Amino acid sequence: MNIIKRIKNKIQYEFYKKIKPEIIGGWKNANGVFSQNTGISNMSRLSSQKDNLFIGDNVYIGHFNYIDAVNAKVFIGNNVQITTNVTILTHSGHHLIRLINNPNKAVKNTGKLSFKNEIYIGENTFIGPYSIVMPGTKIGKGCIISAYSYVKGEIPDFSVVRGQPAKIIGNTTEIDKNFLEKYPELIETYYLNGSN
């Protein structure tokens, strides 16, 4: 039995070695705009209908993320960083599975039981690992979404949020103030790129 397990492990190792996670450069939006400084992992899944997914320039989308832009639009601003294992959803039909009891059965007006809504992620925002962004969420610019956060609703510019559900726990301008005092050479680019 151990020999079979070792052979199986060796095959898996060789398979994953050939398709290792890596960041692929460049992204072309549905409107034809090409963002050459954007990098997206080959291990992330971006599901989209035509014209539904807009990704800005200098965006980083790391490994093992899922972005659902099938049912509504997703807008990701410039300089956004989406780390790893982040889920961004534009729809949910969890009411259907309980109320209809048979998802394959045709029932009138089921659209009222599910909801679809677009997502907006403002520029210079960081989304930490294992976070979930729910339909209809609008995240302002310059935000930090802490790891393992469940984000729903409107998040004001420069917010630091954490938790399930995510709550505002701070302001990024206060964090940035400390860095700018320590590294004054960053002040020019900080205000130039619209961080504040």
Side-chain angles (χ1 to χ4, degrees), residues 129-146:
Y130 297 96
S131 293
I132 298 172
V133 180
M134 292 299 287
T137 297
K138 182 178 180 186
I139 300 172
K141 68 179 180 177
C143 292
I144 295 175
I145 308 301
S146 300

Side-chain angles (χ1 to χ4, degrees), residues 23-27 29 35-41 46 54-62 67 75-83 121-125:
I23 301 299
I24 311 290
W27 171 263
N29 284 308
S35 302
Q36 73 178 33
N37 298 318
T38 288
I40 301 171
S41 170
L46 283 61
F54 296 88
I55 299 175
D57 198 26
N58 201 33
V59 171
Y60 171 86
I61 299 175
I67 299 174
F75 301 92
I76 300 172
N78 295 333
N79 307 313
V80 168
Q81 192 172 68
I82 299 171
T83 55
I121 300 170
E123 62 187 24
N124 303 319
T125 287

Side-chain angles (χ1 to χ4, degrees), residues 83-100:
T83 55
T84 182
N85 292 291
V86 173
T87 302
I88 297 173
L89 301 170
T90 59
H91 79 287
S92 178
H94 61 88
H95 299 301
L96 290 172
I97 60 174
R98 293 186 314 280
L99 298 173
I100 293 176

Side-chain angles (χ1 to χ4, degrees), residues 1-11:
M1 200 61 147
N2 281 340
I3 225 162
I4 292 172
K5 190 173 185 179
R6 281 190 284 174
I7 291 170
K8 182 180 172 186
N9 288 343
K10 180 69 174 166
I11 291 169

